[in-house]
């Protein structure tokens, strides 16, 4: 099995120009005298291009920092000590059409989509010409990963720039979604936004196609920095959860765990801390990014945001996390530079054995989320026993909880507990904003004034908040329209 590593080939891919976006929507450009629209003429080049797609996904302007941080920063989970101004506009729920984080997530999300689409298009054209079974297997695997990458980027973008597809049973599928790309878009092509429902249908199709192609390939990487059937199933479970397709979400989550060879979670401080030693140390992760001491974003890293750039667990999150909960094993505070009024976190899940948060990686699709999806789906289907059993696997990280008898017995109580458990377990993984939106749950945000914190906005229903499309995209006149009235969906200071 052939394996391609981001850290060793990313520069070659970028120099070769296998995928690019310029100032216009999905502009194809020339780099190193290789035209990205015609270079994918053999399997090796498709492999290099796939590596470039992973690089774009991993880059700090997308999942490596900003796309992941978005779901945490605009929620009730962080506290910002104001030592720096990084993304404070989102923390304050005061975005603009020029906000840095959304603009860069939009740009790099479409870099991933553009590159993946070129791989898929070239691969589909090449497949009928191949007679060698090994070459066809490799090509099918590459295309499977490209479909998964495109699905991941589409989900990030539709969450960030459109209304949540479902909010506590209410359907918003007819709302404006994102631009779907099924064939490479040229610099002068006109585009238009699909609906949220059409976007989710495209995401589902990409994930189904990825699984089909993995099956045809009969082979995939053993390295979890690449998509595999297990991580595709995990992403599929997340998509079904957002769509409130409870049966499908439950089954996909179970399959993800089975394919990933995971039958349980650790529940001691020592074992939990070992998960976050760095890179592949997290045996509960199905898909993570190739970030380490050699390949990282330094000052632009997510670990830096959760340390020297001033973000830490909010007082609310600290209040619902038991003192002896094993997840606190990775929590630490800078007692030298930090003060009660400007607390400085040491990075949490990003600290690792090196102690440098900049070297910590992002674990994007993980086993605990699969148990939580099973629990929520079972609860919605009326199977409280199954809901409690799946929830217990995560909740027992708190040593006070050892059996389902320690969990709430009624449906409403169990659901409230599950919502808090998702906050405790998925902190720093970028899910909270999308959870709050889909639940239609009011929350307190924009905490100020440590140590006696007050909330600037109380009981805010963030489901109503729809972020603006970056003005740079609107100004290209390529056809992307703005979210009408987006300003009125955010509170006034």
């Amino acid at each position: 099995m052939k394996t391609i590593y981001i850290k060793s080939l990313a520069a070659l891919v970028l120099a070769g120009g296998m995928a690019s976006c310029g100032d216009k929507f999905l502009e194809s450009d020339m780099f190193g005298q290789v035209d990205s629209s015609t270079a994918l003429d053999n399997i090796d080049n498709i492999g290099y291009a796939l590596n470039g797609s992973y690089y774009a996904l991993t880059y700090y302007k997308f999942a490596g920092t900003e796309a992941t941080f978005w779901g945490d920063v605009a929620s009730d989970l962080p506290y910002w000590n104001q030592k720096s101004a990084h993304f404070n506009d989102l923390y304050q729920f005061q975005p603009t059409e020029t906000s840095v984080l959304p603009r860069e997530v939009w740009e790099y999300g479409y870099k991933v989509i553009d590159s993946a689409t070129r791989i898929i298009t070239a691969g589909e054209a090449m497949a009928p010409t191949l007679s060698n079974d090994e070459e066809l297997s490799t090509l099918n695997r590459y295309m499977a990963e490209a479909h998964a990458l495109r699905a991941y980027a589409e989900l990030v973008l539709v969450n960030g720039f459109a209304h949540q597809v479902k909010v506590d049973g209410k359907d918003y599928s007819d709302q404006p979604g994102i631009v779907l790309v099924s064939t490479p878009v040229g610099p002068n092509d006109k585009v238009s936004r699909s609906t949220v429902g059409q976007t989710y249908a495209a995401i589902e199709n990409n994930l189904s196609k990825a699984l089909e192609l993995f099956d045809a390939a009969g082979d995939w990487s053993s390295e979890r920095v690449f998509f595999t059937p297990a991580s595709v199933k995990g992403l599929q479970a997340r998509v079904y959860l957002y769509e409130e397709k409870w049966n499908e979400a439950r089954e996909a989550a179970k399959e993800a765990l089975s394919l990933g060879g995971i039958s349980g979670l650790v529940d001691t401080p020592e074992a939990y801390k070992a998960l976050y030693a760095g890179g592949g140390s997290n045996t509960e992760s199905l898909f993570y990014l190739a970030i380490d001491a050699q390949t990282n974003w330094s000052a632009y890293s997510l670990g830096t945001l959760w340390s020297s750039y001033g973000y830490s667990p909010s007082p609310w999150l600290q209040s619902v996390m038991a003192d002896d909960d094993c997840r606190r094993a990775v929590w630490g505070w800078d007692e030298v530079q930090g003060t009660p009024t400007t607390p400085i976190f040491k990075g949490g899940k990003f600290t690792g054995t090196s102690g440098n948060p900049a070297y910590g990686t992002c674990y994007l699709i993980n086993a605990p989320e699969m148990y939580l999806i099973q629990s929520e789906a079972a609860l919605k289907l009326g199977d409280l026993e199954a809901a409690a059993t799946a929830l217990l696997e995560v909740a027992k990280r708190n040593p006070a909880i050892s059996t389902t008898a320690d969990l709430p017995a009624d449906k409403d109580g169990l659901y409230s507990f599950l919502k808090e458990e998702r906050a405790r377990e998925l902190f720093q993984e970028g899910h909270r904003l999308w959870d709050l939106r889909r639940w239609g749950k009011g929350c307190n945000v924009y905490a100020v004034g440590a140590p006696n914190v007050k909330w600037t906005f109380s009981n805010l229903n963030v489901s109503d908040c729809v972020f603006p499309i970056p003005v740079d995209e609107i100004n290209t006149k390529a056809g992307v329209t703005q979210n009408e009235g987006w300003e009125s969906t955010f509170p006034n200071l």
Side-chain angles (χ1 to χ4, degrees):
M1 177 169 53
K2 187 175 180 182
T3 302
I4 300 174
Y5 289 93
I6 291 172
K7 60 185 179 183
S8 62
L9 291 177
L12 174 61
V13 173
L14 295 181
M18 298 301 179
S20 65
C21 286
D23 293 332
K24 294 185 179 179
F25 187 91
L26 303 183
E27 181 179 354
S28 174
D29 238 332
M30 295 284 291
F31 291 87
Q33 306 304 308
V34 179
D35 185 352
S36 63
S37 65
T38 60
L40 303 183
D41 54 2
N42 61 68
I43 292 177
D44 284 344
N45 280 356
I46 286 178
Y48 298 148
L50 181 66
N51 191 67
S53 300
Y54 278 109
Y55 181 84
L57 178 85
T58 305
Y59 198 51
Y60 76 87
K61 293 183 179 182
F62 200 57
T65 298
E66 294 177 8
T68 304
F69 191 53
W70 194 346
D72 278 326
V73 66
S75 79
D76 53 3
L77 295 191
Y79 179 78
W80 171 56
N81 69 16
Q82 302 185 45
K83 282 180 66 68
S84 74
H86 290 78
F87 312 131
N88 61 311
D89 52 346
L90 299 191
Y91 177 78
Q92 296 169 329
F93 276 80
Q94 301 294 306
T96 69
E97 291 178 304
T98 59
S99 288
V100 172
L101 186 152
R103 172 171 54 80
E104 294 183 337
V105 168
W106 176 273
E107 176 190 0
Y108 268 79
Y110 275 110
K111 282 183 183 287
V112 175
I113 290 171
D114 179 40
S115 179
T117 298
R118 293 177 189 278
I119 291 166
I120 293 164
T121 301
E124 289 174 344
M126 188 182 300
T129 71
L130 298 179
S131 56
N132 183 289
D133 289 345
E134 184 177 351
E135 287 186 341
L136 185 57
S137 173
T138 299
L139 180 63
N140 283 332
R141 178 164 65 85
Y142 287 168
M143 288 196 292
E145 292 179 57
H147 275 286
L149 285 161
R150 187 162 71 178
Y152 190 95
E154 288 171 337
L155 184 61
V156 168
L157 294 177
V158 76
N159 269 346
F161 297 101
H163 202 288
Q164 205 75 20
V165 61
K166 289 283 185 71
V167 177
D168 193 25
K170 189 172 181 180
D171 194 340
Y172 290 90
S173 295
D174 61 348
Q175 294 298 299
I178 62 171
V179 177
L180 294 175
V181 179
S182 57
T183 58
V185 178
N188 297 315
D189 291 347
K190 291 295 183 181
V191 298
S192 61
R193 295 174 68 180
S194 300
T195 65
V196 170
Q198 290 167 335
T199 303
Y200 268 85
I203 294 168
E204 283 193 31
N205 181 67
N206 273 309
L207 295 174
S208 295
K209 190 66 177 177
L211 292 168
E212 177 186 322
L213 286 163
F214 274 129
D215 186 58
D219 187 27
W220 45 86
S221 177
S222 60
E223 300 286 339
R224 286 166 289 151
V225 293
F226 300 101
F227 271 105
T228 66
S231 53
V232 170
K233 272 293 177 183
L235 185 57
Q236 193 177 58
R238 186 184 301 171
V239 170
Y240 288 144
L241 179 77
Y242 291 167
E243 294 180 290
E244 299 185 358
K245 294 183 176 180
W246 307 118
N247 279 309
E248 293 91 335
R250 187 180 186 181
E251 291 308 310
K254 288 180 180 178
E255 288 184 60
L257 292 169
S258 177
L259 289 168
I262 296 172
S263 58
L265 306 178
V266 304
D267 58 8
T268 67
E270 297 76 18
Y272 187 82
K273 190 172 184 178
L275 293 178
Y276 296 96
S281 64
N282 192 334
T283 55
E284 296 178 359
S285 184
L286 302 174
F287 179 63
Y288 67 95
L289 300 180
I291 298 172
D292 55 27
Q294 287 71 47
T295 305
N296 59 77
W297 311 124
S298 188
Y300 298 103
S301 72
L302 194 47
T304 303
L305 284 167
W306 285 113
S307 56
S308 57
Y309 281 2
Y311 287 95
S312 62
S314 70
W316 175 79
L317 179 59
Q318 294 181 57
S319 75
V320 298
M321 184 83 81
D323 289 342
D324 56 353
D325 190 302
C326 75
R327 287 167 290 206
R328 282 186 178 263
V330 296
W331 285 20
W333 301 86
D334 189 330
E335 304 293 348
V336 176
Q337 299 186 61
T339 68
T341 56
T342 56
I344 298 177
F345 198 46
K346 286 189 174 181
K349 291 179 177 178
F350 297 94
T351 306
T353 54
S354 71
N356 188 336
Y359 301 163
T361 190
C362 301
Y363 297 102
L364 297 181
I365 302 173
N366 306 312
E369 182 193 359
M370 298 303 107
Y371 285 106
L372 292 167
I373 289 174
Q374 286 184 63
S375 179
E376 187 168 355
L379 189 149
K380 287 293 187 177
L381 291 168
D383 189 345
L384 266 63
E385 181 179 356
T389 299
L391 182 57
L392 176 65
E393 192 61 46
V394 182
K396 67 182 182 181
R397 308 247 212 211
N398 177 352
I401 299 172
S402 58
T403 72
T404 55
D406 297 318
L407 299 172
D410 64 292
K411 182 177 181 179
D412 289 344
L414 194 63
Y415 200 20
S416 293
F417 184 95
L418 182 145
K419 290 175 180 177
E420 283 193 0
E421 194 61 30
R422 283 186 66 93
R424 285 185 285 263
E425 179 60 44
L426 304 180
F427 171 56
Q428 295 187 296
E429 294 178 23
H431 297 275
R432 187 62 173 177
L433 175 59
W434 323 123
D435 279 347
L436 293 170
R437 291 177 82 199
R438 67 186 179 85
W439 291 326
K441 178 179 170 59
C443 61
N444 301 328
V445 296
Y446 185 10
V448 294
N452 300 311
V453 167
K454 295 181 180 178
W455 299 102
T456 305
F457 304 120
S458 299
N459 201 33
L460 178 66
N461 187 343
V462 296
S463 298
D464 297 330
C465 298
V466 179
F467 291 84
I469 304 292
V471 70
D472 287 350
E473 181 58 63
I474 303 299
N475 288 343
T476 66
K477 308 297 183 184
V480 180
T481 55
Q482 186 56 274
N483 289 318
E484 292 185 14
W486 69 266
E487 301 97 329
S488 65
T489 68
F490 287 87
N492 293 319
L493 278 175

